[in-house]
Amino acid sequence: MVNTCQWGHNVRSCEESGRIARHGWLANLLPAPGGEELTRGFLQEVVDILLGYISKSSQRSSKVLDFHHPHQLKEGLECFSLDLPDQPETLEQILVDCRDTLKYGVRTGHPRFLNQLSSGLDVVGVAGEWLTSTANTNMFTYEVSPVFVLMEECLLKKMQSILGWSDDVGDGIFCPGGTISNLYSILVARYHFYPEVKTRGMGVLPQLALFTSEQVITPHTLLLTPYSSYVDNEWLYFHPFQSHYSVKKSAAVLGMGSENVFMVKCDESGKMIPAELESSIVTAKEKALVPFYVNATAGTTVYGAFDPLNAIADICQRYTLWMHVDVSVELFNFKYLFSRACSVTWNPHKMMGVPLQCSAILVKKRGLLQECNDFGAEYLFQTDKNYDVSYDTGDKSIQCGRHVDVFKLWLMWKAKGSEGFGSQVNKCLENAEYLYDQLQRRTDFELVLKNKPEHSNVCFWYIPPSLRGQPPGPDRDARLHQVAPRIKGRMMEKGSVMIGYQPLGDKVNFFRCVFSNPATQQEDIDFLLDEITRLGDI
Amino acid sequence: MVNTCQWGHNVRSCEESGRIARHGWLANLLPAPGGEELTRGFLQEVVDILLGYISKSSQRSSKVLDFHHPHQLKEGLECFSLDLPDQPETLEQILVDCRDTLKYGVRTGHPRFLNQLSSGLDVVGVAGEWLTSTANTNMFTYEVSPVFVLMEECLLKKMQSILGWSDDVGDGIFCPGGTISNLYSILVARYHFYPEVKTRGMGVLPQLALFTSEQVITPHTLLLTPYSSYVDNEWLYFHPFQSHYSVKKSAAVLGMGSENVFMVKCDESGKMIPAELESSIVTAKEKALVPFYVNATAGTTVYGAFDPLNAIADICQRYTLWMHVDVSVELFNFKYLFSRACSVTWNPHKMMGVPLQCSAILVKKRGLLQECNDFGAEYLFQTDKNYDVSYDTGDKSIQCGRHVDVFKLWLMWKAKGSEGFGSQVNKCLENAEYLYDQLQRRTDFELVLKNKPEHSNVCFWYIPPSLRGQPPGPDRDARLHQVAPRIKGRMMEKGSVMIGYQPLGDKVNFFRCVFSNPATQQEDIDFLLDEITRLGDI
């Protein structure tokens, strides 16, 4: 046991009452009578494990992960068994299970975890989640979540003011992730134009068309990889998606059909081309579809590109379309961009570093979320309660029960202030610029986009010695395509660093480095490039 | 400070480095260099607050809640301000904020919190959530969640075997709450019958009809309350919903229209009447609708009633309909019922006492979830990874990022075993029977259903002295209708106990007591009835 002092207390007290603490059982914990000391001892042990994990995650000498293949973990490693028993296990075994779960997982807070836009381990955010899970309540009514419901209101108002929306128009709700937030935006847009859809369904509506950005997909004739496909005498990539993944998915869910999502062509840096948007709208109309919704992106997943929001807003205004902006970046430094949006997806679990999940859909038309989604279940939303029931906000949601995702954000906002979030993001942008500078200097790397990064994404190829000097062409591409996956595999097996890769359009597999982890320093960026070189040259 | 020893350490170490720990800042915590000791000290303080809360929540002498109206909390109470600052606050203030958040919240683990089917505070479950939030990762890929992805697989297989499904057919996914699980069931049912809907939308489908149970709604001519409404020369209740809340909501979201959800009549105990289901199906067909989905309920929200699943399955088979079962009860004691379902919503955060949220949709047709929802984003789901990518299960989901809801359940299963869950539920059923017995004996209470409870729900009226002996009729009903809200309001202001109430069909407001909190004992049930009497007689 890690903390013999704490546990020792329990051993004594439990022996007195005839139980054996070191082999205590869940049934002896609270609410069992006399279970308080064992409960404190057990949770303290858990916390000691977690504190050790947090501390180790921040050390560069620790591995980012201890990789095992699925079959290895399933077979069971050193007494770590995933199997679910009929009979209870001892609390001692539960602590071992906790340790092993962390041991075989991925340290997303490690300074060298650069794999996802959600990374880092904010200590105050973690404290917020610990409290949230201890409070163990539900966002559906003020009755059971008085404080959290008010915190949500407070956060939404603040976020709306940052968007530049006036106090009396905005509305919103926190929901489980950015894709669901985007789904909400389509849902309320549809209801805004066609409120009858709620009761009567899509059958009474015209065929709707949606628009989002696409990376241009170029047929590639020679590359033979597991994810290419022979169609019409040409080898094609499977179409890689960038921003429209969630839009297509949501269109399918909402009964609109993914093929009615028009993917608007982008320029080389990944920005939607306004003229292309307009011509897509015209095309849709010619096909007797009714355009109603445009999803613009601020910070695309791979390139971190910003669509030209003002030009898109002009088009939306001209054609009376709902303009949604999916914001993957943080908003403190870019807020002026979003005042014309009808709705915004804001994901504090990305650049703001809030623990997963924390995402909000903000809607400029007050009351729309409620009208669109309410079905007034009487067993929850009684109107004859002893308080102002307008705070029973659960019926704005497509969920019934809703996890409390607001407290961690609220607590972090208290601890950082708006300014703290801003400077945290600036740090990430500096890291991106540093990486960009390094890549420019080195001959063994090649940037995917030549311009300075607009945001924290930097995309690049590593060119191994065998490919240097080889002329561009299908053969080089085919070989270059295999470099990133091979290096990534070695990285994971070694556990030294984690970074993502993917192909995009006519570009073969490249690394995407994305900075949102406040733990990452320049030395980690140096290490990343050196490590890629080491692993790539084998 | 609660823990002067822990904090003292920090004071010393921080003073050495020139900072003042008692007024430490988030910026000094990890990943800041040298932040380890302050981090440990801060988190230990948080844990001490949480341990104190857990301990107090289990004490009957504590209040269930310290009620304040929204405007009171918003105005700020004893330095507790919800406002979000531009400048950071000290860690000391953050700890105060944590304490206040808990102080003004609701203790859902208190033995006398009987308000919701999600209640109690399972210590191992809480430990699981603390670990989950510390691990701070995402369910979309094996790459970032190797252990949790395998735990999900393991849990789903176990749950499928409990449902009586053979090993090679079942599939499923954990999702954010029971309503979303029900939404999934409709989504996959639609895709099963009409796979073209994914790409082409509802426009190419016939108008679909869905079926779920309804409580019979009887016009009530005399009752004047804030939630009755004068329509067509008759006073009507707003229709209270029982099981079909989530089905109507989902039908609206999915573009099917809520009016195409047929609410099948139930018998007096709240069970769907099979003959009524069949006649609803015939009616739908006569209206040129195409029936495709039946939502049966095992444990309705208010009465805890079980629909006759076998009879419903026969009808579904005859008409080739998808049969979904929404299970609000636990499944260990009732598993034999579900073998014929095409899909099942299983909510471990209800009777099994797992911290919020934990809900699974189980689908009997393997691969259907994936086919229905996948859009293969290349930046997440590369096919050229170094491991078996069939474990990248994220594309089965309508979300992209997905919170880890499986670990707490997995850990509780380890700590309780299947048998532990079974006996925990039996305890709740015993409590329900005890309450039923007490109510039968007392002349100041009246049962809503005369029969023994089928599950843990017990519904009853309190009859205050002024109404005893008054003949049944509209006048008595109108007065009785106000009794439960008035008592509930007093309960909340006093903070002594929490229990829900609602009207249903032609029945005026009644209390619904639901047992899922393992902390609740017979003495709490005695207290509840005595407290209602005390508060109701004022």
Side-chain angles (χ1 to χ4, degrees):
Chain A
M1 290 297 136
V2 173
N3 188 331
T4 49
C5 161
Q6 286 279 353
W7 199 254
H9 277 303
N10 296 314
V11 172
R12 279 199 298 282
S13 81
C14 295
E15 276 173 355
E16 281 163 22
S17 60
R19 278 176 273 118
I20 305 159
R22 292 184 68 87
H23 299 280
W25 305 92
L26 179 144
N28 309 129
L29 297 170
L30 287 175
E36 182 167 339
E37 202 161 355
L38 187 65
T39 299
R40 282 179 178 264
F42 168 72
L43 286 175
Q44 187 61 54
E45 294 272 3
V46 172
V47 167
D48 288 338
I49 292 169
L50 299 179
L51 292 177
Y53 176 82
I54 292 169
S55 159
K56 218 172 161 188
S57 291
S58 72
Q59 291 162 15
R60 292 183 170 75
S61 56
S62 304
K63 282 179 158 191
V64 179
L65 78 164
D66 184 5
F67 179 77
H68 291 84
H69 285 280
H71 68 89
Q72 294 173 312
L73 284 179
K74 285 169 82 169
E75 285 157 8
L77 288 161
E78 297 169 35
C79 305
F80 180 50
S81 162
L82 293 167
D83 294 341
L84 300 165
D86 289 332
Q87 304 290 332
E89 288 179 357
T90 64
L91 294 179
E92 192 168 21
Q93 180 59 43
I94 294 302
L95 293 170
V96 171
D97 289 338
C98 286
R99 257 187 229 104
D100 286 342
T101 298
L102 292 171
K103 176 173 159 54
Y104 299 117
V106 177
R107 298 182 201 278
T108 58
H110 193 288
R112 292 171 185 169
F113 179 83
L114 305 161
N115 208 65
Q116 243 84 32
L117 201 46
S118 302
S119 63
L121 190 63
D122 189 279
V123 173
V124 170
V126 167
E129 276 294 73
W130 290 3
L131 186 145
T132 298
S133 50
T134 309
N136 189 33
T137 194
N138 206 314
M139 290 294 284
F140 41 51
T141 58
Y142 181 84
E143 185 173 324
V144 294
S145 282
V147 183
F148 299 132
V149 162
L150 294 179
M151 283 174 178
E152 180 172 50
E153 182 191 58
C154 187
L155 283 163
L156 289 169
K157 281 199 173 164
K158 184 80 172 181
M159 293 160 89
Q160 287 152 18
S161 79
I162 289 173
L163 290 174
W165 296 359
S166 74
D167 231 22
D168 53 336
V169 295
D171 201 350
I173 198 164
F174 280 77
C175 44
T179 294
I180 300 291
S181 292
N182 283 348
L183 183 144
Y184 266 104
S185 73
I186 305 174
L187 187 65
V188 294
R190 177 174 74 179
Y191 182 81
H192 168 75
F193 290 114
Y194 304 97
E196 65 273 26
V197 72
K198 181 176 176 180
T199 51
R200 301 185 63 198
M202 293 291 289
V204 298
L205 268 55
Q207 184 58 60
L208 303 175
L210 306 86
F211 302 85
T212 188
S213 86
E214 178 199 59
Q215 295 299 109
V216 180
I217 296 156
T218 312
H220 202 277
T221 51
L222 280 172
L223 198 68
L224 307 182
T225 73
Y227 61 95
S228 59
S229 172
Y230 195 70
V231 178
D232 293 339
N233 296 321
E234 275 195 325
W235 283 99
L236 295 170
Y237 283 127
F238 284 167
H239 296 188
F241 298 119
Q242 188 162 8
S243 73
H244 61 265
Y245 172 68
S246 64
V247 178
K248 283 217 171 198
K249 199 161 241 195
S250 298
V253 170
L254 299 173
M256 296 173 179
S258 58
E259 72 180 20
N260 299 309
V261 178
F262 285 70
M263 288 167 291
V264 180
K265 283 190 179 148
C266 297
D267 65 19
E268 282 199 346
S269 61
K271 295 170 184 291
M272 189 191 280
I273 302 167
E276 292 287 344
L277 172 61
E278 192 150 14
S279 80
S280 294
I281 291 169
V282 171
T283 305
K285 288 184 160 202
E286 285 166 2
K287 290 184 176 173
L289 302 178
V290 177
F292 83 111
Y293 171 95
V294 177
N295 177 77
T297 312
T300 56
T301 312
V302 178
Y303 286 162
F306 286 66
D307 285 338
L309 299 185
N310 258 323
I312 292 171
D314 289 341
I315 294 170
C316 288
Q317 201 171 339
R318 199 173 318 138
Y319 291 91
T320 320
L321 309 181
W322 186 276
M323 178 179 170
H324 176 70
V325 187
D326 180 7
V327 186
S328 295
V329 304
E330 58 70 53
L331 286 106
F332 293 95
N333 302 354
F334 300 100
K335 55 192 185 185
Y336 59 90
L337 288 169
F338 305 104
S339 60
R340 296 179 71 188
C342 304
S343 56
V344 165
T345 290
W346 182 332
N347 293 312
H349 65 211
K350 290 184 174 167
M351 293 296 291
M352 287 167 75
V354 179
L356 289 158
Q357 285 183 317
C358 192
S359 173
I361 173 70
L362 295 142
V363 181
K364 212 193 250 161
K365 189 177 170 190
R366 181 160 295 175
L368 194 64
L369 271 169
Q370 177 82 24
E371 285 167 40
C372 177
N373 294 318
D374 69 353
F375 280 95
E378 281 278 0
Y379 67 88
L380 278 177
F381 307 118
Q382 303 92 324
T383 52
D384 49 3
K385 289 182 180 178
N386 67 324
Y387 58 84
D388 177 355
V389 293
S390 71
Y391 288 94
D392 286 354
T393 52
D395 220 8
K396 281 157 74 169
S397 168
I398 62 170
Q399 304 177 263
C400 173
R402 194 158 55 97
H403 188 259
V404 176
D405 290 333
V406 293
F407 181 66
K408 55 195 167 193
L409 172 58
W410 180 86
L411 198 68
M412 282 174 69
W413 211 309
K414 285 275 186 184
K416 281 179 199 282
S418 308
E419 290 184 6
F421 281 121
S423 58
Q424 179 179 321
V425 172
N426 284 338
K427 178 73 197 313
C428 295
L429 300 181
E430 282 168 30
N431 276 341
E433 209 166 310
Y434 179 80
L435 172 58
Y436 173 81
D437 289 343
Q438 296 306 305
L439 290 168
Q440 275 200 315
R441 281 183 208 170
R442 297 180 65 148
T443 55
D444 45 354
F445 290 89
E446 206 175 287
L447 282 157
V448 174
L449 303 177
K450 302 303 167 207
N451 295 331
K452 273 207 173 181
E454 273 193 289
H455 204 248
S456 86
N457 304 41
V458 182
C459 297
F460 60 91
W461 289 281
Y462 171 67
I463 315 294
S466 59
L467 287 182
R468 283 173 219 161
Q470 199 180 328
D475 183 47
R476 182 179 185 270
D477 277 355
R479 293 175 62 198
L480 183 58
H481 187 65
Q482 293 166 15
V483 171
R486 199 171 55 219
I487 295 175
K488 171 72 176 268
R490 288 171 183 164
M491 269 178 191
M492 285 180 66
E493 276 153 33
K494 194 174 166 193
S496 53
V497 62
M498 271 181 87
I499 176 178
Y501 75 88
Q502 68 287 299
L504 188 65
D506 62 347
K507 296 185 169 62
V508 299
N509 275 326
F510 56 86
F511 288 113
R512 177 201 64 158
C513 194
V514 60
F515 295 100
S516 65
N517 189 340
T520 304
Q521 305 288 340
Q522 293 186 355
E523 63 175 297
D524 302 305
I525 298 167
D526 294 337
F527 176 85
L528 169 71
L529 297 184
D530 293 343
E531 183 73 355
I532 288 175
T533 308
R534 271 190 294 274
L535 297 172
D537 287 352
I538 292 168
Chain B
M1 289 297 134
V2 173
N3 189 333
T4 49
C5 161
Q6 286 279 355
W7 200 252
H9 277 303
N10 295 315
V11 172
R12 278 197 300 281
S13 79
C14 296
E15 276 173 357
E16 281 162 23
S17 60
R19 281 177 271 118
I20 305 159
R22 293 184 66 87
H23 300 279
W25 305 93
L26 179 143
N28 308 130
L29 298 170
L30 286 176
E36 182 167 340
E37 202 162 357
L38 187 65
T39 299
R40 283 180 178 263
F42 169 71
L43 286 175
Q44 187 61 53
E45 294 272 3
V46 172
V47 167
D48 288 338
I49 292 169
L50 299 180
L51 292 178
Y53 176 82
I54 292 169
S55 158
K56 218 170 162 190
S57 291
S58 72
Q59 291 163 15
R60 291 182 171 78
S61 56
S62 304
K63 282 179 160 193
V64 178
L65 78 164
D66 185 5
F67 179 77
H68 292 84
H69 285 281
H71 68 88
Q72 294 173 313
L73 284 178
K74 285 168 81 169
E75 285 157 10
L77 287 162
E78 297 168 35
C79 306
F80 180 49
S81 161
L82 293 167
D83 293 343
L84 299 164
D86 288 332
Q87 304 289 333
E89 289 180 355
T90 63
L91 294 178
E92 192 169 22
Q93 180 59 42
I94 295 301
L95 294 170
V96 171
D97 288 338
C98 286
R99 257 186 230 108
D100 285 342
T101 299
L102 292 171
K103 176 172 159 53
Y104 299 118
V106 176
R107 298 181 201 279
T108 59
H110 192 288
R112 293 174 183 167
F113 179 83
L114 304 162
N115 209 64
Q116 243 83 32
L117 201 47
S118 302
S119 64
L121 190 64
D122 189 281
V123 172
V124 170
V126 167
E129 277 293 73
W130 290 3
L131 186 146
T132 298
S133 50
T134 310
N136 190 32
T137 194
N138 206 312
M139 290 294 286
F140 42 50
T141 58
Y142 181 85
E143 185 173 323
V144 293
S145 282
V147 183
F148 299 133
V149 162
L150 295 179
M151 283 175 178
E152 180 172 51
E153 182 190 57
C154 187
L155 282 164
L156 289 169
K157 281 200 173 162
K158 184 79 172 183
M159 292 160 88
Q160 286 152 19
S161 79
I162 289 174
L163 290 175
W165 296 359
S166 74
D167 233 21
D168 53 335
V169 295
D171 201 350
I173 198 164
F174 280 78
C175 46
T179 294
I180 300 291
S181 292
N182 282 347
L183 183 144
Y184 267 104
S185 73
I186 304 173
L187 186 66
V188 294
R190 178 173 74 179
Y191 182 80
H192 168 75
F193 291 113
Y194 304 98
E196 64 273 25
V197 72
K198 181 176 176 180
T199 51
R200 303 185 62 200
M202 292 292 289
V204 298
L205 268 53
Q207 183 59 62
L208 303 175
L210 307 87
F211 302 84
T212 189
S213 86
E214 178 199 58
Q215 297 296 110
V216 181
I217 295 157
T218 311
H220 202 277
T221 51
L222 281 171
L223 199 68
L224 308 181
T225 74
Y227 61 96
S228 59
S229 171
Y230 195 69
V231 179
D232 292 339
N233 297 322
E234 274 196 327
W235 283 98
L236 296 169
Y237 283 127
F238 284 166
H239 296 185
F241 299 117
Q242 188 161 8
S243 73
H244 60 266
Y245 173 67
S246 64
V247 178
K248 283 217 168 198
K249 197 160 241 191
S250 299
V253 170
L254 299 173
M256 297 175 178
S258 58
E259 72 180 19
N260 298 309
V261 178
F262 285 70
M263 289 166 289
V264 181
K265 282 189 180 151
C266 296
D267 65 20
E268 283 199 346
S269 61
K271 293 168 185 293
M272 189 191 280
I273 302 167
E276 292 287 343
L277 171 60
E278 193 149 13
S279 78
S280 294
I281 291 168
V282 171
T283 305
K285 289 183 159 204
E286 285 166 0
K287 290 182 176 173
L289 303 177
V290 177
F292 83 110
Y293 171 94
V294 176
N295 175 78
T297 312
T300 56
T301 312
V302 179
Y303 287 163
F306 286 66
D307 285 338
L309 300 184
N310 259 324
I312 293 172
D314 288 341
I315 294 170
C316 287
Q317 201 170 337
R318 200 173 315 141
Y319 290 92
T320 319
L321 309 180
W322 186 276
M323 178 178 169
H324 176 70
V325 187
D326 180 7
V327 185
S328 295
V329 303
E330 56 70 54
L331 287 106
F332 293 94
N333 302 354
F334 300 100
K335 55 192 185 184
Y336 58 89
L337 289 169
F338 304 105
S339 59
R340 297 179 71 189
C342 304
S343 56
V344 164
T345 290
W346 181 333
N347 293 310
H349 65 212
K350 291 184 175 170
M351 291 297 292
M352 286 166 75
V354 179
L356 290 158
Q357 286 185 316
C358 192
S359 174
I361 173 71
L362 295 142
V363 180
K364 212 193 251 162
K365 189 178 171 189
R366 181 162 294 174
L368 193 65
L369 270 168
Q370 177 82 24
E371 287 167 38
C372 176
N373 294 318
D374 69 353
F375 280 95
E378 281 278 0
Y379 67 88
L380 277 177
F381 307 117
Q382 303 93 325
T383 52
D384 49 2
K385 289 183 180 177
N386 68 325
Y387 58 83
D388 178 355
V389 293
S390 71
Y391 288 95
D392 286 355
T393 52
D395 220 8
K396 281 158 74 169
S397 169
I398 62 169
Q399 304 177 264
C400 175
R402 194 157 54 97
H403 188 259
V404 177
D405 290 332
V406 293
F407 180 67
K408 55 194 166 190
L409 172 59
W410 181 86
L411 200 67
M412 282 174 68
W413 210 311
K414 286 276 188 186
K416 282 178 200 282
S418 308
E419 291 183 7
F421 281 121
S423 58
Q424 180 179 321
V425 172
N426 284 339
K427 178 71 199 311
C428 295
L429 301 182
E430 281 167 30
N431 276 341
E433 210 167 308
Y434 178 79
L435 172 57
Y436 173 81
D437 289 344
Q438 296 305 306
L439 289 168
Q440 275 201 315
R441 280 184 209 167
R442 296 180 66 149
T443 55
D444 44 353
F445 290 90
E446 206 173 289
L447 283 157
V448 174
L449 303 177
K450 302 305 167 205
N451 295 332
K452 272 204 175 184
E454 272 193 290
H455 204 249
S456 86
N457 305 42
V458 182
C459 298
F460 60 91
W461 290 280
Y462 170 67
I463 315 293
S466 60
L467 285 181
R468 282 171 221 162
Q470 200 180 328
D475 182 50
R476 183 178 184 270
D477 276 357
R479 293 174 62 197
L480 183 58
H481 187 65
Q482 293 167 17
V483 170
R486 199 170 55 219
I487 294 174
K488 170 72 176 268
R490 289 173 182 162
M491 268 178 192
M492 286 181 65
E493 275 154 35
K494 194 174 166 194
S496 53
V497 61
M498 270 181 86
I499 175 177
Y501 75 87
Q502 70 287 298
L504 189 65
D506 63 347
K507 294 184 170 62
V508 298
N509 275 326
F510 55 85
F511 288 113
R512 177 201 65 158
C513 195
V514 60
F515 296 99
S516 65
N517 189 339
T520 304
Q521 305 289 339
Q522 292 187 356
E523 64 175 296
D524 302 305
I525 298 167
D526 294 337
F527 176 84
L528 169 70
L529 297 183
D530 293 342
E531 184 71 355
I532 288 175
T533 307
R534 271 190 294 274
L535 298 172
D537 287 353
I538 292 167

